[in-house]
Amino acid sequence: RLLDTGDARSTGIMRKHVKNCWGEDALAAAAQTKNAREARETVVQGILTTGTITASFKRRGKGKVTFSHRQHTKMETKAKIVHWVSKSFRPFEVVNNQGFQSLMKTGRLEYYIPSPSTVSRDVRLVFVRTRQRIANMLQKYEGELNFVMDAWTSPNHKAFVAVSVHLEHEGKPVAMILDIVEVPKVSN
């Protein structure tokens, strides 16, 4: 519908959208308000209390949403980058990559990106804390712990030994690699 026609002040499409996205209750609550400002301050603000688009989608069962329109805080950025470089095996220097910088700062020139040394330090810190949590969990575990060792030679002729632990947690089997060690070359 065109805004220069008689339908310019029609709210039918908007009402249908509100009903489909936020439900009958939100539409009825909005209808009880005096004007758009009051509806925005009471009804919409109540629906989007978290400030993320995720809340709306979860409420209507439209599937999992893994993005947000809200910019990450400095701490969230550091955590996301640590998770990304660790899980994707990225070098710490990737944060200095011009393409990465362009993607991260487009439209937000002030956006904080940590230095490679900060990413490296944070990855080590997460590793140390995770290792301590696992150690505490294994020490307090009251069931049976099964330790396994495995050895192999990589394609570049280096020998490795891995140690893992297997246990049951909340009725499900869990396996964790505790360490992987390169076997030193023995010289006679």
Side-chain angles (χ1 to χ4, degrees):
R1 298 183 183 185
L2 301 174
L3 293 179
D4 60 352
T5 66
D7 290 338
R9 294 190 180 265
S10 174
T11 59
I13 293 174
M14 183 174 61
R15 293 173 64 82
K16 183 177 177 182
H17 175 76
V18 169
K19 182 179 173 184
N20 287 338
C21 289
W22 292 332
E24 294 274 350
D25 294 339
L27 181 60
Q32 298 299 319
T33 61
K34 294 183 224 169
N35 53 41
R37 193 176 116 251
E38 184 182 337
R40 191 171 38 253
E41 290 173 356
T42 58
V43 181
V44 174
Q45 203 58 32
I47 292 171
L48 298 176
T49 55
T50 64
T52 66
I53 198 168
T54 309
S56 298
F57 284 96
K58 280 184 182 172
R59 196 166 278 110
R60 297 298 296 159
K62 293 184 178 182
K64 183 179 179 186
V65 179
T66 58
F67 59 88
S68 172
H69 69 278
R70 184 182 56 82
Q71 183 172 324
H72 290 304
T73 64
K74 184 176 177 179
M75 291 303 290
E76 288 171 333
T77 297
K78 288 170 64 173
K80 292 285 187 184
I81 289 176
V82 162
H83 184 258
W84 175 61
V85 299
S86 299
K87 194 162 181 123
S88 303
F89 304 110
R90 303 279 182 216
F92 303 138
E93 286 290 327
V94 74
V95 295
N96 282 342
N97 178 279
Q98 185 179 2
F100 177 79
Q101 293 263 338
S102 176
L103 282 171
M104 297 300 290
K105 290 186 174 240
T106 298
R108 308 172 296 223
L109 297 177
E110 75 288 348
Y111 191 74
Y112 169 79
I113 298 176
S115 69
S117 61
T118 300
V119 174
S120 172
R121 184 197 66 222
D122 290 347
V123 166
R124 284 187 187 97
L125 184 63
V126 168
F127 171 77
V128 167
R129 287 182 179 167
T130 302
R131 181 175 57 185
Q132 188 58 51
R133 287 179 59 204
I134 290 171
N136 290 341
M137 182 190 80
L138 293 177
Q139 288 170 359
K140 293 176 183 174
Y141 187 72
E142 294 184 8
E144 289 186 19
L145 297 174
N146 300 290
F147 293 92
V148 177
M149 282 182 44
D150 189 16
W152 71 95
T153 304
S154 67
N156 61 355
H157 305 289
K158 292 186 178 190
F160 292 92
V161 174
V163 179
S164 63
V165 64
H166 301 258
L167 58 119
E168 185 178 316
H169 181 69
E170 296 178 358
K172 295 182 182 177
V174 176
M176 289 184 272
I177 296 176
L178 299 177
D179 205 356
I180 299 176
V181 180
E182 183 178 354
V183 178
K185 200 173 202 178
V186 178
S187 58
N188 294 334

